[in-house]
Amino acid sequence: MVRNRMQSRAPSIGDLLLRQGLITEVQLEDALAEQSETRERLGELLCRRGHISESDLVDALSRQLGFRRFDPARDGIEVAALDLVPLEFARRHNVLPVRLTADALQVAMVDPLDVEALDHLRRLAKREKRGQIEILLETPAALEAAREKNYERIQGSRSVSQLIDKVVGEVGSTAILEEDEDEEEAQRRAQEAGVVNLVDQIIAQALQARATDIHIEPLEKGLVIRYRVDGLLHDALTPPRAVYTGVISRIKILANMDIAERRASQDGRFTFRKDGREVDVRVSDIPTIHGEKIVMRLLDKTSFNFALRDLGFEEDDHRIFVDAIHQPYGMILLSGPTGSGKSTTLYASLLELRNETLNITTVEDPVEYQMDRINQVQVSPRKNVTFATALRYFLRQDPDVIMVGEIRDQETADMAVRAALTGHMVFSTIHANDAPATATRLLSMGVESFMTASALTLVAAQRLVRRNCPHCLEEYTPSDDVLMALGSAEPDAVEAWSHLVRGAGCAACKNRGFSGRVAIIERMVMTPELRQVIAENRSAADIRALATAQGMRTLRETGLAKARAGVTTVEEVLRVCLRDE
């Protein structure tokens, strides 16, 4: 006979799981019978039997005990809390210190009934009163992952600080001025263990932060190291000037640059390997009034796994783009400023097309990502390998699909257009403000208008906007200045732009409110009418008027649609799109 446990008391874990339909009465009765013999905790017993998952158990315990569940993405882990609790203790009791305040220590736990752990945490935090330990609950696997990641994070930060202190100690306070330092001294500093390890840590930390570029900038009395994350620069380190010469010299040696040359710009590259990752580092060095500034671009050779659908195109844009790239011949031309994601879109297009029946060949400067079964050629002016010469040789290699990294001159433009007209699918990029101007850019380079009109299949302009952090969304209304900027397009701006969302800032996004980026696109599919206008060598304004009449959405319109959908913010769209776009 089934016992009635639904009494007027705090529900047991079994009652809660039963009410939620996660277990049956029979499963509960069997588990209780086994528990009476093994003395095992009921929740753990039900997990072991496979009736519930660990996540189900944590949710039920959270409701039963009134403890909030730990969110590894949103709950900010403070260094002060981690410093308080030794890693060995945290591992032994499966806990993670989260935040230390004047009143309490917040800690995530797997077992909130671990009295020994709670007593020890109270002593460590000097929080003896009941309630001064605030408990959060989480599954063992998720808690372990968060614990190891965060203890490793503070260890990495400490190691950078320790390395900086070590380098400063080696240099001393009487370091000579960089311009007076000879090549032998610069070589010696660059080979010191502290400097070598510091440069490695700077790059490793940048990769961990998802940075695409590292800027090392000398100041009058100091040094700042900035990382570009999601398209914007952020200060990462501000070491003393004493580490400057060693770090600059070390990077220049790695990049095979002349460390004695400090008054002329230089370029170089090297490969950085860590934890199984292989990153191509492109180095640019220029002299400034306070010394040499170095920028390192980080290109992970093995990380490209984007599909076109992952880039954030609207459904209609995605469908039309996929249809265009599957045409047997023609030209797909993308435009946008540096860093707008053009190359990423082209790579994703090639991956969409790649199969054993096609010969796909690219010429790039540089080759950013290496892909199997795609023949990639690196531009090298010293070896007379330019975009134009590579294209000429490609046409002798029986190609089906050709990607030209960028059309920069008339010779390349002519050859790309001719390749598209002679049965090849050609992908390329060009610098222009919008899709209509992209078409006229070829004309301004000297390509015949009738050839341009016949070759083009699809023209698109692209930008990247930062994506709202999904962990800290809040509703907001744009400021009066922003509403005024939208006023000409939206007469009832206040009503039209209320109830938008943005990231408020949390641990997951480092209080920036954004995490990752998404593409917005202005695509112009060639129609007979558009081909006629281009063949007549009409202006970009005429092309735009016809394209919009035929349904083309501008960059600004596409971006604002994403803001309404909560993907990004209006301010982000206005930041990357000109008013007349």
Side-chain angles (χ1 to χ4, degrees):
M1 182 177 177
V2 177
R3 297 184 298 111
N4 181 15
R5 285 174 300 280
M6 307 302 178
Q7 301 172 355
S8 57
R9 57 178 172 79
S12 70
I13 193 72
D15 292 335
L16 286 169
L17 293 170
L18 190 62
R19 288 176 181 176
Q20 294 173 52
L22 295 173
I23 58 173
T24 66
E25 285 277 8
V26 173
Q27 289 171 338
L28 180 55
E29 290 297 331
D30 289 345
L32 287 170
E34 183 178 344
Q35 185 193 35
S36 66
E37 298 178 4
T38 64
R39 301 300 178 186
E40 189 176 356
R41 287 180 179 171
L42 182 60
E44 294 173 358
L45 195 154
L46 289 167
C47 284
R48 178 170 58 78
R49 283 178 162 231
H51 297 324
I52 60 171
S53 67
E54 289 182 337
S55 186
D56 292 334
L57 176 59
V58 171
D59 285 339
L61 284 171
S62 178
R63 282 185 287 272
Q64 182 194 36
L65 302 175
F67 297 143
R68 180 171 69 82
R69 185 160 181 177
F70 171 63
D71 182 349
R74 183 167 186 175
D75 286 316
I77 312 298
E78 294 183 350
V79 173
L82 293 170
D83 282 338
L84 188 70
V85 181
L87 176 58
E88 195 57 42
F89 174 86
R91 284 173 172 164
R92 186 167 66 251
H93 291 278
N94 215 346
V95 301
L96 172 62
V98 176
R99 187 174 295 109
L100 181 67
T101 68
D103 301 319
L105 170 66
Q106 190 180 66
V107 60
M109 304 182 70
V110 169
D111 182 6
L113 303 179
D114 187 341
V115 177
E116 179 187 350
L118 290 170
D119 285 345
H120 196 86
L121 287 167
R122 287 192 183 96
R123 289 195 295 272
L124 286 172
K126 298 180 181 179
R127 305 290 191 272
E128 301 294 342
K129 295 181 181 178
R130 185 176 179 83
Q132 288 187 316
I133 300 294
E134 182 183 338
I135 298 174
L136 307 175
L137 299 180
E138 187 50 287
T139 63
L143 191 61
E144 180 184 3
R147 181 178 62 244
E148 299 306 314
K149 176 182 177 181
N150 281 280
Y151 273 98
E152 182 181 352
R153 172 175 60 86
I154 65 166
Q155 184 58 41
S157 298
R158 286 198 191 100
S159 64
V160 172
S161 299
Q162 290 165 356
L163 286 169
I164 290 173
D165 291 340
K166 181 179 179 181
V167 174
V168 172
E170 291 170 346
V171 173
S173 59
T174 58
I176 59 177
L177 295 174
E178 293 88 355
E179 58 266 25
D180 298 327
E181 190 172 56
D182 60 26
E183 182 176 351
E184 185 177 340
E185 175 65 15
Q187 286 271 9
R188 185 191 66 77
R189 284 203 196 180
Q191 294 169 2
E192 291 172 346
V195 170
V196 171
N197 291 331
L198 177 58
V199 171
D200 285 352
Q201 283 292 330
I202 289 169
I203 299 173
Q205 193 177 79
L207 291 171
Q208 188 177 26
R210 299 185 299 107
T212 56
D213 302 86
I214 303 172
H215 289 237
I216 301 178
E217 304 174 357
L219 308 176
E220 184 178 4
K221 296 182 180 179
L223 184 66
V224 62
I225 298 175
R226 300 196 287 171
Y227 297 159
R228 187 178 295 280
V229 181
D230 292 336
L232 295 182
L233 286 168
H234 304 278
D235 286 2
L237 298 166
T238 53
R241 180 73 180 217
V243 308
Y244 168 79
T245 299
V247 168
I248 295 293
S249 298
R250 171 63 181 168
I251 294 169
K252 290 171 75 173
I253 288 174
L254 285 172
N256 199 26
M257 297 158 68
D258 183 358
I259 65 171
E261 177 57 73
R262 302 187 181 96
R263 293 176 175 82
S265 300
Q266 298 185 70
D267 293 307
R269 57 180 290 186
F270 63 92
T271 299
F272 179 79
R273 296 177 178 88
K274 187 172 181 66
D275 299 333
R277 296 179 70 179
E278 188 173 292
V279 180
D280 194 17
V281 183
R282 306 298 171 101
V283 183
S284 173
D285 168 62
I286 61 169
T288 73
I289 60 172
H290 298 306
E292 295 171 89
K293 173 184 174 177
I294 276 186
V295 175
M296 293 184 282
R297 169 150 290 188
L298 309 177
L299 301 171
D300 194 333
K301 294 182 177 181
T302 57
S303 70
F304 190 87
N305 57 2
F306 289 108
L308 276 173
R309 191 169 290 279
D310 298 331
L311 302 182
F313 292 171
E314 297 296 319
E315 192 61 38
D316 284 350
D317 292 333
H318 175 263
R319 177 179 51 79
I320 290 170
F321 203 91
V322 169
D323 181 66
I325 68 174
H326 279 91
Q327 296 301 310
Y329 56 86
M331 177 182 279
I332 309 290
L333 200 54
L334 264 64
S335 71
T338 301
S340 60
K342 304 185 297 296
S343 295
T344 299
T345 300
L346 291 186
Y347 277 122
S349 301
L350 295 183
L351 288 181
E352 176 85 19
L353 292 173
R354 183 180 63 179
N355 62 55
E356 67 277 6
T357 69
L358 294 178
N359 175 18
I360 302 176
T361 309
T362 75
V363 55
E364 308 169 55
D365 184 21
V367 174
E368 296 188 15
Y369 299 102
Q370 297 179 13
M371 297 181 287
D372 292 337
R373 299 189 73 93
I374 293 178
N375 308 290
Q376 297 173 269
V377 175
Q378 169 73 52
V379 165
S380 177
R382 291 180 183 177
K383 300 176 181 178
N384 195 32
V385 180
T386 64
F387 286 120
T389 57
L391 256 176
R392 187 176 296 112
Y393 288 122
F394 285 174
L395 295 176
R396 302 172 190 168
Q397 291 268 315
D398 185 32
D400 297 296
V401 178
I402 298 171
M403 186 186 97
V404 182
E406 184 181 345
I407 294 176
R408 298 174 178 172
D409 52 57
Q410 181 179 358
E411 185 181 8
T412 306
D414 272 329
M415 295 200 66
V417 167
R418 291 180 188 279
L421 290 173
T422 53
H424 307 91
M425 175 53 73
V426 179
F427 295 86
S428 192
T429 70
I430 199 166
H431 283 289
N433 286 334
D434 54 29
T438 301
T440 60
R441 183 80 179 95
L442 286 176
L443 305 180
S444 68
M445 285 184 170
V447 180
E448 294 288 348
S449 58
F450 70 92
M451 293 177 62
T452 299
S454 300
L456 290 174
T457 300
L458 180 144
V459 177
Q462 182 171 308
R463 300 291 186 274
L464 293 178
V465 293
R466 290 181 294 170
R467 189 189 294 269
N468 284 332
C469 174
H471 302 290
C472 55
L473 292 177
E474 66 175 9
E475 194 171 287
Y476 85 110
T477 299
S479 68
D480 290 343
D481 289 342
V482 173
L483 291 173
M484 189 176 298
L486 297 168
S488 59
E490 299 287 344
D492 301 321
V494 175
E495 180 61 30
W497 296 105
S498 60
H499 310 300
L500 298 177
V501 295
R502 65 182 174 190
C506 65
C509 60
K510 295 183 172 26
N511 292 315
R512 293 169 188 159
F514 299 98
S515 180
R517 290 188 289 177
V518 63
I520 57 175
I521 193 169
E522 175 182 284
R523 46 103 183 138
M524 187 172 75
V525 181
M526 288 298 106
T527 63
E529 295 82 7
L530 281 169
R531 292 186 194 279
Q532 181 62 37
V533 170
I534 294 171
E536 293 172 358
N537 205 4
R538 302 265 288 276
S539 68
D542 290 340
I543 298 172
R544 170 176 286 278
L546 177 57
T548 52
Q550 293 184 341
M552 182 188 80
R553 289 200 307 171
T554 67
L555 280 167
R556 186 172 167 123
E557 289 169 343
T558 304
L560 293 179
K562 287 195 179 297
R564 287 193 181 95
V567 176
T568 187
T569 65
V570 172
E571 291 82 356
E572 264 297 285
V573 176
L574 297 180
R575 181 178 69 84
V576 302
C577 294
L578 297 173
R579 183 181 294 273
D580 60 353
E581 292 180 345

